[in-house]
Amino acid sequence: MTTTPTVVLVHGAFADAGSWSGVVTELRSHGIPVVAAANPLRGLASDAAYITAVASRIDGPVVLVGHSYGGALITVAGTAENVVGLVYIAAYVPDEGESLGELQGRFPLSPLVSNLREGVYPVAGEETAVEVTIAAEKFPEIFAADVPAHVTEVLAVAQRPLSTTVFTETAAAAAWRTKPSWALVAGADQAINPDVERFGAERAGATTVELDGASHAVAVSRPKEVAALIVDAVTATTR
């Protein structure tokens, strides 16, 4: 008897699990079990631990799929025993001991960096921490240039903020060193320099596809193609 892995989808910054809706529909049409996890966006180590917990409570093999910052999380959480494959969608692919700041610092910065807006939020005691969102007026062109305007207007005001600590924390592990990986590069990404995505995918030895003209929100704009790569990963890891 073969066991089809469960796909766990991990969204990135400025988004939520609903951003996977089109991909979920496609995967379910192939009979693939899927979970869209709620990424806390509070810190690389703590977020990765949360995703590890989500994967570990699934009975059977898991393929982790990470978009954007979610790629860093699956890189660490992918060391969970039942994770059999990793799929990176317009994502960071860090190495063990490497921060996202160090990784993206290898290449020219994307337009995202100069269009972030900071805010503070309370943490333990009377301390505060810093989180960022994308300037609403710049959100469509930076995050979702190939998504209809009426959709991007909603996405812009529904952003999930990201703690700035994620850029300096280092990855505790790199699961791609021991587990097979796949990657999709969004050719017109304005949030992550596509060269960052290409570099990480090549370093990981990932099976890679590139979608010309695709924005950072490629899972929203081109769910069929994103799902197709995930189906390839599921097929390859089904035993």
Side-chain angles (χ1 to χ4, degrees):
M1 178 181 296
T2 59
T3 302
T4 300
T6 296
V7 170
V8 174
L9 303 168
V10 183
H11 67 82
F14 321 121
D16 61 23
S19 61
W20 292 110
S21 296
V23 175
V24 170
T25 298
E26 289 296 320
L27 294 176
R28 287 173 60 86
S29 74
H30 286 83
I32 295 172
V34 58
V35 173
N39 180 356
L41 302 177
R42 296 293 84 174
L44 198 158
S46 60
D47 293 344
Y50 179 80
I51 298 304
T52 299
V54 171
S56 296
R57 63 179 176 244
I58 292 172
D59 185 16
V62 167
V63 169
L64 288 178
V65 181
H67 173 247
S68 189
Y69 163 61
L73 302 186
I74 70 169
T75 294
V76 178
T79 57
E81 186 176 352
N82 64 330
V83 174
V84 295
L86 310 167
V87 184
Y88 295 92
I89 306 297
Y92 292 110
V93 189
D95 200 354
E96 181 177 354
E98 183 177 53
S99 71
L100 298 189
E102 291 169 338
L103 175 55
Q104 67 181 11
R106 295 170 179 261
F107 302 92
L109 296 177
S110 71
L112 170 73
V113 177
S114 60
N115 287 285
L116 292 174
R117 298 293 179 265
E118 293 188 353
V120 297
Y121 64 95
V123 290
E126 297 182 358
E127 297 181 3
T128 59
V130 179
E131 63 185 13
V132 289
T133 55
I134 303 172
E137 69 276 12
K138 291 290 187 178
F139 186 94
E141 64 185 84
I142 289 174
F143 197 89
D146 57 351
V147 176
H150 71 279
V151 177
T152 61
E153 290 171 2
V154 174
L155 296 177
V157 300
Q159 292 182 62
R160 293 273 314 284
L162 175 71
S163 171
T164 57
T165 62
V166 306
F167 297 107
T168 55
E169 288 186 68
T170 58
W176 50 260
R177 289 191 170 275
T178 57
K179 297 182 180 180
S181 59
W182 290 257
L184 184 150
V185 175
D189 201 329
Q190 297 294 299
I192 299 177
N193 185 333
D195 284 338
V196 174
E197 299 170 18
R198 295 184 188 105
F199 170 79
E202 182 177 357
R203 181 171 63 177
T207 300
T208 305
V209 298
E210 182 161 343
L211 298 184
D212 293 337
S215 76
H216 192 61
V218 62
V220 178
S221 62
R222 300 169 76 166
K224 289 183 181 292
E225 288 151 295
V226 170
L229 182 64
I230 299 170
V231 170
D232 287 347
V234 169
T235 301
T237 54
T238 297
R239 299 288 183 266

